C-alpha cells in the first residue's frame, strides 16, 4: 500500500512541477522529456532484468550449494548462544529457537527464498507463546528488528546490479555494506534491549559484541591508516578474497556432507531465469515512476534543496545525490532499488553517489514492509516499540553508510 502511494505521488508531483515550469518558465519541452523518459526507463528496466539472468543464476546456484551443504546450520550454531540471551522469554528447548536461528543465518547468506518462509514460521511459533494475541511480544519485536536491520554477509543482488550497470569491480561495496549493516544491527539490538530491559552486560553477550566490535574496529582503523589511493584497491582485494573464500567453504562443506555439488548448483541455478523474469514488471514500474519524477525536475528540486541545507550547515554535500535511496529504503525495497539503479544510471556505477546508493540499499531492510508482512501474518495490530527501534536501526545504517563511503571513496 505504501508503494502504491509513493508511485502515484511520483506522477502527480511530476505533473504539477511540469505545469509550473511550462507556465512560469515557458519550457515547452518539459512534457516531451517526461514522455521520452517513460520509454527510456522501460527499456532500461527490461535490459537490466534480462541481463541479471546469468549472474543471478550463478549466485543462486552457489547459495543452494551452501544451503544443502549445511552452512545455515553452521551459522545457527555460531550465533545460538547469543540469540538465546537476546530472547530470554523463549523457553530454551522451544522449536522457535531453531526457526529464528535458521532465519537469521539465511538472511546473512542472502538466501531470501529460505529466509522469508523461516521468518514467517518463527513468527507463527512466537505467536503461540504470546499471551496477548493482538499485541507484539518482546521476542517478536526483537526478531523483527533483527530482520529490519538487514544484517547480510553477502549482498548478492547489489553486486549483480552493479555488474549490470558497468561497475569496474562490482564487489567493491562489499566491505562498506558489511560494516554499515553491522552498526545498523547493533543499534537495533541496543534500542530493543533498552525498551525490554535486557541485560547486555551478560558475559556471553559482551563476548560476542566485543569480538564483533573488535573486528569491525580493526577493519575501519586499517582503512583509515591507508593512503587514499590504496583504500579502494585494498578493500576490493580483501572483499574478493573473502567472497571467494566463502564460495570455496560452501563447496568444501557440501563435499564433506556428501552433497552432489554439481546437481545442487543446477538445482539452485534453475531459479535464476525465473527470478530475473519475475522482477521485470516491478523494476519497470518503479524505474518509470522515478524517471518521470526526475525528468520533471522534481527530484532535482528535492536534492538541491537538501544539498543547500547541508552546505549551509557546513558539511560536505556530495552524499546528497544518493540520499533518495536511503529515504526510500524503510518504505519500499523495490522503490529503493529503483532509486539505486537510477542513481547509477545517471551518475555512474563507480561514482561516489552510485557506490553510496548501493551501500544504503545493502545496509538495512524495508522496515515497514517487514513489519506489515510478519506482524500481519499472525494478526498483530499493536506493534509497541517495534517501529521506533526499526527506524533507529535505519537511521544508524544511513549514518554508518555515509561514514563508510567517505572512508573508502571520499
Amino acid at each position: 500500500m505504501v508503494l502504491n502511494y509513493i508511485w502515484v505521488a511520483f506522477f502527480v508531483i511530476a505533473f504539477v512541477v511540469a505545469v509550473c515550469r511550462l507556465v512560469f518558465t515557458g519550457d515547452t519541452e518539459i512534457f516531451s522529456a517526461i514522455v521520452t523518459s517513460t520509454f527510456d526507463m522501460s527499456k532500461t528496466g527490461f535490459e537490466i532484468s534480462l541481463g541479471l539472468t546469468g549472474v543471478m543464476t550463478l549466485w543462486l546456484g552457489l547459495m543452494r550449494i551452501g544451503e544443502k551443504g549445511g552452512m545455515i546450520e553452521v551459522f545457527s550454531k555460531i550465533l545460538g548462544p547469543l540469540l538465546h540471551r537476546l530472547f530470554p522469554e523463549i523457553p530454551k528447548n522451544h522449536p522457535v529457537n531453531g526457526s529464528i536461528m535458521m532465519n537469521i543465518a539465511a538472511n546473512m547468506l542472502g538466501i531470501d527464498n529460505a529466509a522469508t518462509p523461516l521468518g514467517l514460521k518463527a513468527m507463527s511459533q512466537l505467536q503461540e507463546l504470546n499471551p496477548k494475541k493482538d499485541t507484539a511480544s518482546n521476542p517478536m519485536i526483537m526478531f523483527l528488528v533483527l530482520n529490519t536491520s538487514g544484517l547480510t554477509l553477502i549482498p548478492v543482488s547489489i553486486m549483480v546490479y552493479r555488474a549490470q550497470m558497468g561497475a569496474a569491480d562490482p564487489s567493491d561495496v562489499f566491505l562498506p555494506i558489511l560494516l554499515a549493516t553491522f552498526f545498523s544491527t547493533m543499534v537495533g539490538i541496543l534500542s530493543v534491549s533498552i525498551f525490554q530491559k535486557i541485560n547486555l552486560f551478560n558475559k556471553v553477550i559482551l563476548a560476542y559484541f566485543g569480538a564483533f566490535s573488535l573486528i569491525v574496529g580493526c577493519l575501519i582503523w586499517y582503512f583509515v591508516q591507508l593512503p587514499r589511493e590504496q583504500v579502494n584497491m585494498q578493500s576490493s582485494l580483501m572483499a574478493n578474497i573473502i567472497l571467494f573464500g566463502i564460495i570455496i567453504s560452501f563447496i568444501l562443506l557440501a563435499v564433506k556432507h556428501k552433497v552432489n555439488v554439481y546437481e545442487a548448483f543446477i538445482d539452485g541455478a534453475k531459479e535464476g531465469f525465473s527470478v530475473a523474469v519475475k522482477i521485470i514488471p516491478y523494476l519497470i514500474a518503479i524505474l518509470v515512476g522515478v524517471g518521470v519524477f526526475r525528468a520533471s525536475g522534481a527530484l532535482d528540486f528535492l536534492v538541491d534543496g537538501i544539498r543547500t541545507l547541508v552546505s549551509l550547515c557546513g558539511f560536505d554535500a556530495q552524499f546528497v545525490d544518493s540520499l533518495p535511496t536511503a529515504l526510500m529504503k524503510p518504505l519500499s525495497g523495490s522503490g529503493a532499488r529503483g532509486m539505486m539503479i537510477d542513481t547509477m544510471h545517471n551518475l555512474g556505477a563507480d561514482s561516489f553517489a552510485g557506490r553510496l546508493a548501493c551501500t544504503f540499499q545493502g545496509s538495512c531492510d524495508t522496515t515497514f514492509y517487514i513489519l506489515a508482512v510478519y506482524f500481519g501474518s499472525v494478526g498483530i495490530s499493536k506493534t509497541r516499540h517495534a517501529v521506533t527501534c526499526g527506524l533507529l536501526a535505519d537511521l544508524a545504517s544511513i549514518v554508518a553508510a555515509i561514514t563508510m563511503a567517505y572512508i573508502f571513496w571520499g
Side-chain angles (χ1 to χ4, degrees):
M1 185 61 72
V2 172
L3 185 56
N4 173 57
Y5 292 136
I6 292 171
W7 199 67
V8 171
F10 280 152
F11 285 90
V12 173
I13 294 172
F15 178 75
V16 172
V17 172
V19 169
C20 291
R21 290 181 62 176
L22 178 63
V23 172
F24 294 108
T25 68
D27 186 354
T28 58
E29 300 295 324
I30 183 61
F31 282 99
S32 174
I34 290 175
V35 173
T36 300
S37 74
T38 64
F39 293 108
D40 290 343
M41 297 311 287
S42 297
K43 179 182 177 183
T44 299
F46 183 73
E47 290 175 346
I48 290 173
S49 298
L50 287 186
L52 287 174
T53 305
V55 186
M56 189 67 76
T57 297
L58 168 66
W59 278 99
L60 286 176
L62 291 170
M63 289 302 170
R64 184 58 57 85
I65 292 173
E67 186 179 356
K68 289 192 172 183
M71 188 57 71
I72 291 180
E73 287 81 357
V74 171
F75 272 84
S76 297
K77 290 179 181 178
I78 293 173
L79 296 173
L82 173 63
L83 294 179
H84 283 314
R85 285 157 180 82
L86 293 179
F87 295 90
E89 297 177 20
I90 299 177
K92 283 190 176 180
N93 296 321
H94 196 280
V96 72
N97 288 302
S99 298
I100 289 174
M101 288 186 284
M102 297 284 276
N103 165 263
I104 293 173
N107 272 321
M108 292 180 68
L109 293 173
I111 310 175
D112 294 335
N113 58 337
T116 301
L118 287 168
L120 293 175
K121 180 181 178 182
M123 192 61 72
S124 176
Q125 293 170 323
L126 288 171
Q127 180 70 330
E128 294 173 5
L129 298 172
N130 185 12
K132 297 180 179 180
K133 300 303 182 183
D134 65 339
T135 303
S137 65
N138 284 346
M140 282 180 168
I141 295 173
M142 177 64 83
F143 178 62
L144 183 126
V145 172
L146 284 174
N147 273 269
T148 63
S149 63
L151 184 59
T152 303
L153 184 62
I154 311 174
V156 175
S157 61
I158 294 173
M159 293 189 293
V160 170
Y161 282 115
R162 285 187 55 74
Q164 272 301 106
M165 298 304 294
D169 183 359
S171 65
D172 61 4
V173 298
F174 171 75
L175 280 178
I177 288 176
L178 184 62
L179 295 173
T181 195
F182 166 79
F183 286 108
S184 172
T185 302
M186 289 293 289
V187 169
I189 291 174
L190 288 172
S191 61
V192 175
S193 298
I194 290 171
F195 273 103
Q196 298 181 3
K197 296 181 173 59
I198 295 174
N199 180 20
L200 294 179
F201 293 98
N202 178 283
K203 290 182 180 179
V204 174
I205 294 178
L206 288 176
Y208 272 93
F209 283 7
F212 294 151
S213 299
L214 179 62
I215 293 171
V216 170
C218 288
L219 283 172
I220 294 174
W221 176 84
Y222 175 74
F223 286 107
V224 167
Q225 300 301 313
L226 287 176
R228 173 59 57 192
E229 61 274 9
Q230 292 188 25
V231 171
N232 192 46
M233 180 188 71
Q234 292 285 342
S235 65
S236 295
L237 175 62
M238 189 178 295
N240 287 317
I241 290 174
I242 293 173
L243 283 172
F244 192 67
I246 291 172
I247 293 171
I248 292 297
S249 67
F250 282 5
I251 295 173
L252 293 179
L253 190 62
V255 170
K256 179 183 176 182
H257 286 86
K258 299 181 180 179
V259 173
N260 188 318
V261 177
Y262 181 77
E263 287 188 2
F265 177 87
I266 297 300
D267 183 45
K270 288 177 182 178
E271 299 178 12
F273 182 77
S274 61
V275 170
V277 171
K278 283 179 182 177
I279 70 170
I280 290 177
Y282 301 98
L283 188 57
I284 290 177
I286 197 65
L287 283 180
V288 169
V290 173
V292 166
F293 193 66
R294 178 183 287 278
S296 70
L299 183 60
D300 291 334
F301 290 150
L302 174 64
V303 171
D304 289 343
I306 297 175
R307 182 182 289 107
T308 300
L309 182 61
V310 170
S311 298
L312 288 174
C313 293
F315 299 109
D316 183 276
Q318 65 174 325
F319 72 88
V320 173
D321 287 318
S322 56
L323 208 52
T325 303
L327 299 177
M328 184 68 74
K329 184 64 178 181
L331 302 171
S332 165
S334 57
R337 181 174 59 220
M339 288 294 188
M340 175 189 72
I341 293 173
D342 180 73
T343 302
M344 289 193 287
H345 177 74
N346 286 280
L347 301 176
D350 289 330
S351 65
F352 181 88
R355 285 166 165 158
L356 179 52
C358 293
T359 308
F360 282 142
Q361 177 74 354
S363 59
C364 63
D365 216 325
T366 49
T367 297
F368 289 103
Y369 173 79
I370 291 176
L371 186 146
V373 171
Y374 278 35
F375 281 171
S377 68
V378 292
I380 295 294
S381 57
K382 299 176 183 177
T383 61
R384 299 172 63 209
H385 49 276
V387 175
T388 300
C389 294
L391 292 178
L392 284 173
D394 292 338
L395 178 61
S397 75
I398 292 173
V399 174
I402 293 172
T403 303
M404 293 305 113
Y406 278 101
I407 291 175
F408 285 86
W409 311 299

